[in-house]
Amino acid sequence: MSATRTFAVTLTIPDNEAFTAYETLGRLGIPAARVVRADIWQFDVDGAGAADDLARTVASIETIHNPNKHRLAERASDRPAPGEVWIAPRDEAPATTVAGRAIHGVRAIRRRTAWRLLDDAGHDVAPADLDRAVETFLCNPAFQVAITA
Amino acid sequence: MSAVVAIVVFPGTNSEDETLRAVRAVGLEVELVHWSQPEKLERFDAFVLPGGFAYEDRIRAGAVAAHDAVMDPVIDAAQAGKFVLGICNGAQILAEAGLVPGTGPLRRPTAAFAPNASGRFESVHVHLRLTVAPERIPILGGIGAGTVIPAWASHGDGRLAAPSDELARIEHDGHLAFVYCDRDGNEVSAPNGSALNCAGLVNRAGNVLAIMPHPERDAWTYQHLDESRDAARGDARAVLAPSGGIALFEHFAQVVRGKVPA
């Protein structure tokens, strides 16, 4: 039996990449008052009891999570949340190590970038605007795919 | 009137000086134009987008720069038939801007220079072989069929990636300008896992060329990785002589000068 466990890593310091995306989206006329980005790490684990301490292991790998600037949270779902889009490589071959390190009980590792566009009230922008952001900027369909809820 | 070439500098560009030196060495007048000065670009005859990490490669290599206001006049110029050369990060920007291979709408990329198959930054000496007929690539005026040019590949995102139908179009419609080869022109595997072994793409009109490796970093004898460098040792003039990758700029200069009214 296998399962996928999903972790989101966000910055606790200003996210320059999200701000750059915000500025470019503004230039493209896509209405977003704020852009939120997260690194999504997914781990395919073998067996029900395998990788019980995965959260602690992931938190200890600085390539993924540097406690001085990152917040790590495990997600209940292995799919994007409503209003969120994940950008992933199209021809992805899942990794088996991270930073050269294998994780006991983990047989595949995938990384995505999650984006959310928020309006002035902090709500997700209209789905059509998110779609436009994906089509015009956030995703290059030549080698990436956009995954939504 | 001499031809004036603009080297477009983005925040994060790091190869503008050696590119300027190579363009100047082939007799072209050249200026650096920064991203904040798009209005200056109208008076130029040709454009070079040099290597580096524009906007720190945020979001994707070349993606933010492709939407920068300074690219508006570059795209307009390319559409009007002026010559645009992109090297490394410049090539990534041209792909993200949809100028190469140029088979889709502007700023809707149909191909990409994506992360290397190794997942690592690769820095190796390479050779590029022209794979299209010389008349297919007017931006390199006078270049001979099958010309081999030495260069340094130095990138983390140089792997041509595109859907299979687009790769077929690139190959069959003459967009595959250069492939990786050895010094004798025999094709060798790309250091980045590039589809079609691609090292460079050209648009349909042949006035926009995107190459991943850096000929401007192998444009003087002391930069070569062969016996010519050893042979020149002790002879300052020979060591500092333009050679190797400078050939690409010589062909570029030939055609850019030809486009300028006397």
Side-chain angles (χ1 to χ4, degrees):
Chain A
M1 182 182 159
S2 66
T4 299
R5 291 178 64 182
T6 300
F7 295 83
V9 180
T10 50
L11 280 167
T12 56
I13 59 175
D15 187 340
N16 292 337
E17 185 159 356
F19 185 75
T20 301
Y22 160 80
E23 288 198 317
T24 301
L25 291 170
R27 180 169 153 68
L28 292 168
I30 294 167
R34 197 172 145 231
V35 174
V36 180
R37 183 185 65 91
D39 286 329
I40 302 292
W41 291 86
Q42 295 193 298
F43 301 87
D44 291 347
V45 297
D46 279 325
D52 279 344
D53 59 351
L54 183 61
R56 197 175 330 143
T57 303
V58 170
S60 73
I61 301 173
E62 287 207 13
T63 301
I64 298 176
H65 168 249
N66 177 340
N68 296 310
K69 62 177 183 177
H70 287 139
R71 181 183 300 113
L72 176 71
E74 184 163 7
R75 293 209 174 171
S77 170
D78 62 1
R79 298 284 301 171
E84 188 177 58
V85 61
W86 290 358
I87 305 299
R90 180 182 290 283
D91 53 355
E92 178 180 41
T96 53
T97 61
V98 58
R101 175 175 166 183
I103 303 174
H104 175 68
V106 171
R107 59 180 172 78
I109 303 167
R110 290 179 297 275
R111 185 178 181 180
R112 285 85 175 77
T113 303
W115 297 96
R116 283 182 75 184
L117 277 53
L118 306 178
D119 63 17
D120 286 326
H123 301 129
D124 292 312
V125 299
D129 289 327
L130 181 63
D131 289 347
R132 202 151 59 88
V134 167
E135 286 167 17
T136 57
F137 179 54
L138 294 178
C139 178
N140 181 335
F143 76 105
Q144 295 177 313
V145 291
I147 307 164
T148 54
Chain B
M1 191 168 100
S2 64
V4 183
V5 176
I7 294 178
V8 183
V9 179
F10 296 91
T13 295
N14 65 15
S15 298
E16 67 271 32
D17 285 338
E18 54 261 61
T19 305
L20 179 140
R21 195 167 164 238
V23 173
R24 188 172 282 160
V26 296
L28 294 171
E29 193 179 324
V30 57
E31 285 180 35
L32 301 181
V33 177
H34 288 80
W35 74 96
S36 55
Q37 306 168 304
E39 71 286 350
K40 284 184 70 174
L41 286 178
E42 283 179 14
R43 67 183 178 83
F44 288 89
D45 304 307
F47 306 84
V48 182
L49 308 187
F53 302 89
Y55 292 95
E56 286 186 329
D57 281 356
R58 291 174 191 172
I59 291 77
R60 266 187 324 281
V64 177
H67 290 283
D68 195 294
V70 80
M71 282 301 291
D72 293 346
V74 175
I75 290 172
D76 289 347
Q79 299 288 90
K82 290 187 178 180
F83 295 107
V84 182
L85 170 64
I87 302 169
C88 196
N89 188 221
Q92 295 161 343
I93 295 168
L94 292 178
E96 284 285 340
L99 287 174
V100 291
T103 53
L106 290 170
R107 288 180 163 131
R108 294 293 182 97
T110 58
F113 291 108
N116 295 345
S118 66
R120 293 192 306 268
F121 192 95
E122 302 287 355
S123 184
V124 291
H125 190 263
V126 297
H127 291 82
L128 327 179
R129 192 188 74 221
L130 185 71
T131 56
V132 292
E135 57 270 22
R136 175 70 187 76
I137 190 161
I139 188 171
L140 299 180
I143 195 167
T147 291
V148 174
I149 293 174
W152 285 92
S154 179
H155 53 249
D157 301 72
R159 174 178 60 94
L160 175 68
S164 54
D165 56 341
E166 180 67 359
L167 290 176
R169 225 175 345 259
I170 287 169
E171 189 168 23
H172 296 128
D173 294 350
H175 296 289
L176 182 64
F178 286 98
V179 294
Y180 291 93
C181 67
D182 64 19
R183 60 187 292 176
D184 298 319
N186 303 304
E187 202 162 329
V188 297
S189 293
N192 47 33
S194 195
L196 307 176
N197 222 10
C198 175
L201 290 173
V202 65
N203 69 340
R204 184 170 289 126
N207 65 315
V208 181
L209 173 65
I211 53 171
M212 279 310 303
H214 294 265
E216 82 283 8
R217 294 185 190 174
D218 201 11
W220 320 94
T221 304
Y222 70 86
Q223 296 175 321
H224 299 339
L225 194 67
D226 60 21
E227 64 279 1
S228 66
R229 185 178 58 174
D230 295 332
R233 195 159 286 164
D235 178 347
R237 189 177 300 233
V239 165
L240 298 172
S243 55
I246 203 74
L248 185 131
F249 295 94
E250 286 169 343
H251 291 296
F252 178 67
Q254 195 169 316
V255 72
V256 171
R257 267 196 296 269
K259 289 280 276 194
V260 178

Short mmCIF file of all heavy atoms in Angstrom, two decimals, chain B residues 213-237:
data_model
loop_
_atom_site.label_atom_id
_atom_site.label_comp_id
_atom_site.label_asym_id
_atom_site.label_seq_id
_atom_site.Cartn_x
_atom_site.Cartn_y
_atom_site.Cartn_z
N PRO B 213 24.97 28.24 -25.89
CA PRO B 213 26.38 28.43 -25.48
C PRO B 213 26.88 29.84 -25.81
O PRO B 213 26.26 30.57 -26.59
CB PRO B 213 27.12 27.38 -26.30
CG PRO B 213 26.09 26.41 -26.73
CD PRO B 213 24.84 27.22 -26.93
N HIS B 214 28.02 30.17 -25.22
CA HIS B 214 28.58 31.52 -25.31
C HIS B 214 29.76 31.59 -26.27
O HIS B 214 30.90 31.32 -25.85
CB HIS B 214 29.10 31.96 -23.93
CG HIS B 214 28.05 32.14 -22.89
ND1 HIS B 214 27.48 33.38 -22.62
CD2 HIS B 214 27.47 31.28 -22.04
CE1 HIS B 214 26.60 33.24 -21.64
NE2 HIS B 214 26.58 31.98 -21.28
N PRO B 215 29.59 32.01 -27.51
CA PRO B 215 30.75 32.19 -28.38
C PRO B 215 31.62 33.37 -27.95
O PRO B 215 32.82 33.39 -28.22
CB PRO B 215 30.13 32.44 -29.76
CG PRO B 215 28.75 32.92 -29.49
CD PRO B 215 28.32 32.28 -28.21
N GLU B 216 31.01 34.33 -27.26
CA GLU B 216 31.78 35.51 -26.81
C GLU B 216 32.75 35.18 -25.69
O GLU B 216 33.62 35.97 -25.37
CB GLU B 216 30.83 36.64 -26.40
CG GLU B 216 30.26 36.56 -24.99
CD GLU B 216 29.14 35.55 -24.84
OE1 GLU B 216 28.87 34.79 -25.79
OE2 GLU B 216 28.52 35.50 -23.75
N ARG B 217 32.60 33.99 -25.11
CA ARG B 217 33.55 33.57 -24.07
C ARG B 217 34.63 32.66 -24.64
O ARG B 217 35.43 32.11 -23.90
CB ARG B 217 32.81 32.84 -22.94
CG ARG B 217 31.88 33.74 -22.17
CD ARG B 217 31.27 33.03 -20.99
NE ARG B 217 30.21 33.84 -20.40
CZ ARG B 217 29.41 33.42 -19.43
NH1 ARG B 217 29.56 32.20 -18.93
NH2 ARG B 217 28.46 34.21 -18.95
N ASP B 218 34.60 32.46 -25.97
CA ASP B 218 35.65 31.68 -26.63
C ASP B 218 36.07 32.44 -27.89
O ASP B 218 36.29 31.85 -28.94
CB ASP B 218 35.11 30.29 -26.99
CG ASP B 218 36.24 29.29 -27.19
OD1 ASP B 218 37.39 29.62 -26.85
OD2 ASP B 218 35.96 28.18 -27.69
N ALA B 219 36.17 33.74 -27.74
CA ALA B 219 36.38 34.61 -28.90
C ALA B 219 37.79 35.15 -29.01
O ALA B 219 38.10 35.92 -29.92
CB ALA B 219 35.39 35.78 -28.84
N TRP B 220 38.67 34.76 -28.10
CA TRP B 220 40.06 35.21 -28.09
C TRP B 220 40.93 33.99 -27.82
O TRP B 220 40.51 33.07 -27.11
CB TRP B 220 40.28 36.28 -27.00
CG TRP B 220 39.11 37.23 -26.93
CD1 TRP B 220 38.04 37.13 -26.09
CD2 TRP B 220 38.86 38.37 -27.75
NE1 TRP B 220 37.15 38.13 -26.35
CE2 TRP B 220 37.63 38.92 -27.36
CE3 TRP B 220 39.58 38.98 -28.79
CZ2 TRP B 220 37.08 40.04 -27.96
CZ3 TRP B 220 39.04 40.11 -29.38
CH2 TRP B 220 37.81 40.63 -28.98
N THR B 221 42.12 33.98 -28.36
CA THR B 221 42.94 32.77 -28.31
C THR B 221 43.13 32.27 -26.88
O THR B 221 43.09 31.07 -26.62
CB THR B 221 44.30 33.03 -28.98
OG1 THR B 221 44.06 33.50 -30.31
CG2 THR B 221 45.14 31.77 -29.03
N TYR B 222 43.32 33.17 -25.95
CA TYR B 222 43.58 32.73 -24.57
C TYR B 222 42.38 32.03 -23.94
O TYR B 222 42.49 31.38 -22.90
CB TYR B 222 44.05 33.90 -23.69
CG TYR B 222 42.99 34.93 -23.38
CD1 TYR B 222 42.13 34.78 -22.31
CD2 TYR B 222 42.86 36.08 -24.18
CE1 TYR B 222 41.16 35.73 -22.03
CE2 TYR B 222 41.89 37.02 -23.90
CZ TYR B 222 41.05 36.85 -22.83
OH TYR B 222 40.09 37.77 -22.56
N GLN B 223 41.20 32.13 -24.57
CA GLN B 223 40.00 31.49 -24.02
C GLN B 223 39.77 30.09 -24.60
O GLN B 223 38.86 29.40 -24.15
CB GLN B 223 38.78 32.35 -24.31
CG GLN B 223 38.81 33.71 -23.63
CD GLN B 223 37.63 34.57 -24.04
OE1 GLN B 223 37.21 34.59 -25.20
NE2 GLN B 223 37.09 35.31 -23.08
N HIS B 224 40.60 29.70 -25.59
CA HIS B 224 40.33 28.42 -26.26
C HIS B 224 40.76 27.24 -25.41
O HIS B 224 41.65 27.36 -24.56
CB HIS B 224 41.05 28.36 -27.61
CG HIS B 224 40.63 29.44 -28.56
ND1 HIS B 224 39.44 30.10 -28.44
CD2 HIS B 224 41.26 29.97 -29.63
CE1 HIS B 224 39.34 31.00 -29.42
NE2 HIS B 224 40.43 30.94 -30.15
N LEU B 225 40.13 26.12 -25.69
CA LEU B 225 40.48 24.90 -24.96
C LEU B 225 41.14 23.93 -25.94
O LEU B 225 40.77 22.78 -26.04
CB LEU B 225 39.21 24.28 -24.37
CG LEU B 225 39.43 23.21 -23.30
CD1 LEU B 225 40.03 23.81 -22.04
CD2 LEU B 225 38.12 22.51 -22.97
N ASP B 226 42.07 24.41 -26.73
CA ASP B 226 42.78 23.52 -27.64
C ASP B 226 44.23 23.97 -27.75
O ASP B 226 44.68 24.88 -27.06
CB ASP B 226 42.09 23.46 -29.01
CG ASP B 226 42.03 24.82 -29.69
OD1 ASP B 226 42.84 25.71 -29.33
OD2 ASP B 226 41.19 25.01 -30.57
N GLU B 227 44.93 23.35 -28.68
CA GLU B 227 46.37 23.60 -28.77
C GLU B 227 46.70 25.02 -29.24
O GLU B 227 47.83 25.49 -29.06
CB GLU B 227 47.03 22.57 -29.71
CG GLU B 227 46.58 22.62 -31.15
CD GLU B 227 45.25 21.91 -31.39
OE1 GLU B 227 44.65 21.37 -30.43
OE2 GLU B 227 44.81 21.91 -32.54
N SER B 228 45.73 25.70 -29.81
CA SER B 228 46.00 27.06 -30.30
C SER B 228 46.40 27.99 -29.16
O SER B 228 47.23 28.88 -29.32
CB SER B 228 44.79 27.62 -31.05
OG SER B 228 43.70 27.80 -30.17
N ARG B 229 45.83 27.74 -28.00
CA ARG B 229 46.17 28.57 -26.85
C ARG B 229 47.62 28.32 -26.41
O ARG B 229 48.38 29.26 -26.16
CB ARG B 229 45.22 28.27 -25.68
CG ARG B 229 45.44 29.19 -24.48
CD ARG B 229 44.48 28.90 -23.38
NE ARG B 229 44.57 27.51 -22.93
CZ ARG B 229 43.90 27.01 -21.89
NH1 ARG B 229 43.07 27.78 -21.22
NH2 ARG B 229 44.02 25.75 -21.54
N ASP B 230 47.99 27.05 -26.39
CA ASP B 230 49.38 26.72 -26.01
C ASP B 230 50.36 27.25 -27.04
O ASP B 230 51.43 27.75 -26.70
CB ASP B 230 49.54 25.21 -25.85
CG ASP B 230 48.69 24.68 -24.71
OD1 ASP B 230 48.45 25.46 -23.76
OD2 ASP B 230 48.25 23.52 -24.79
N ALA B 231 49.97 27.16 -28.30
CA ALA B 231 50.87 27.61 -29.37
C ALA B 231 51.11 29.12 -29.30
O ALA B 231 52.17 29.60 -29.71
CB ALA B 231 50.28 27.23 -30.73
N ALA B 232 50.12 29.81 -28.77
CA ALA B 232 50.24 31.27 -28.72
C ALA B 232 51.01 31.76 -27.50
O ALA B 232 51.34 32.95 -27.41
CB ALA B 232 48.84 31.90 -28.72
N ARG B 233 51.26 30.85 -26.60
CA ARG B 233 51.90 31.24 -25.33
C ARG B 233 53.21 31.98 -25.58
O ARG B 233 54.03 31.55 -26.41
CB ARG B 233 52.12 29.99 -24.47
CG ARG B 233 52.43 30.29 -23.04
CD ARG B 233 52.15 29.10 -22.15
NE ARG B 233 50.70 28.91 -21.96
CZ ARG B 233 50.15 27.80 -21.50
NH1 ARG B 233 50.89 26.78 -21.21
NH2 ARG B 233 48.85 27.73 -21.34
N GLY B 234 53.40 33.09 -24.92
CA GLY B 234 54.63 33.87 -25.07
C GLY B 234 54.54 34.93 -26.14
O GLY B 234 55.44 35.76 -26.27
N ASP B 235 53.46 34.91 -26.90
CA ASP B 235 53.27 35.90 -27.97
C ASP B 235 51.99 36.68 -27.63
O ASP B 235 50.88 36.22 -27.90
CB ASP B 235 53.14 35.18 -29.31
CG ASP B 235 52.91 36.16 -30.47
OD1 ASP B 235 52.60 37.35 -30.22
OD2 ASP B 235 53.01 35.72 -31.63
N ALA B 236 52.16 37.84 -27.02
CA ALA B 236 51.00 38.59 -26.52
C ALA B 236 49.99 38.87 -27.62
O ALA B 236 48.77 38.77 -27.41
CB ALA B 236 51.47 39.90 -25.88
N ARG B 237 50.50 39.21 -28.80
CA ARG B 237 49.58 39.53 -29.90
C ARG B 237 48.73 38.31 -30.28
O ARG B 237 47.53 38.43 -30.50
CB ARG B 237 50.39 40.01 -31.11
CG ARG B 237 49.52 40.57 -32.22
CD ARG B 237 50.39 41.09 -33.34
NE ARG B 237 51.28 42.14 -32.88
CZ ARG B 237 51.38 43.33 -33.44
NH1 ARG B 237 50.65 43.63 -34.48
NH2 ARG B 237 52.22 44.24 -32.98
#
